[in-house]
């Protein structure tokens, strides 16, 4: 089992920045990749950014050049640095981890990000 605790959301004006954190505990040796998803009411959860255990990253087109995902393996923590935030970035952001072998998805509890215009 993997437990994820995400934090760092809040209210920010357009153009501002926030940094989200996701601390993993439990069977962390089984994690192959981690990432951030976001969801707004009535819409499906969408991938924002992901990072593999080897450090390869992937971003949604809508956040490329503005968001940066990073991983501190020593602290078992993943970060999402969000710059130049837009009202369209308003959502609940969820940390995600995928296990090796039979892929199992683990989720954090979610953290609200609200960007005002």
């Amino acid at each position: 089992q993997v437990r994820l605790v995400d934090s760092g959301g809040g209210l920010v004006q357009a153009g501002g920045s926030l940094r989200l954190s996701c601390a993993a505990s439990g069977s962390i040796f089984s994690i192959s990749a981690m990432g951030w998803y976001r969801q707004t009411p009535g819409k499906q959860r969408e991938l924002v950014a992901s990072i593999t255990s080897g450090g390869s990253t992937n971003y949604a087109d809508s956040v490329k050049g503005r968001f940066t995902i990073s991983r501190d393996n020593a602290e078992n923590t993943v970060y999402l640095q969000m710059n130049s935030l837009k009202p369209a970035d308003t959502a609940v952001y969820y940390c995600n981890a995928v296990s090796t072998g039979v892929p199992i998805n683990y989720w954090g509890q979610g953290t609200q990000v609200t960007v005002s215009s």
Side-chain angles (χ1 to χ4, degrees):
Q1 278 284 48
V2 173
R3 181 168 182 255
L4 303 174
V5 178
D6 41 39
S7 61
L11 173 63
V12 64
Q13 288 189 330
S17 298
L18 283 173
R19 189 175 81 154
L20 306 183
S21 299
C22 174
S25 61
S27 302
I28 55 176
F29 60 87
S30 69
I31 297 174
S32 63
M34 296 185 71
W36 290 93
Y37 285 69
R38 66 187 181 189
Q39 188 171 24
T40 54
K43 293 189 176 181
Q44 285 192 328
R45 198 170 291 189
E46 64 174 3
L47 175 68
V48 176
S50 64
I51 185 166
T52 68
S53 56
S56 296
T57 58
N58 182 47
Y59 295 93
D61 288 343
S62 60
V63 307
K64 282 180 181 176
R66 300 188 298 121
F67 291 10
T68 302
I69 189 169
S70 60
R71 184 169 178 168
D72 185 334
N73 289 327
E75 296 293 330
N76 302 316
T77 301
V78 171
Y79 302 98
L80 185 68
Q81 178 66 43
M82 306 186 294
N83 299 328
S84 302
L85 282 161
K86 305 174 181 180
D89 295 317
T90 296
V92 177
Y93 284 70
Y94 295 91
C95 180
N96 168 264
V98 181
S99 63
T100 56
V102 177
I104 299 174
N105 276 286
Y106 298 95
W107 297 95
Q109 80 281 8
T111 185
Q112 176 71 48
V113 171
T114 303
V115 184
S116 63
S117 57

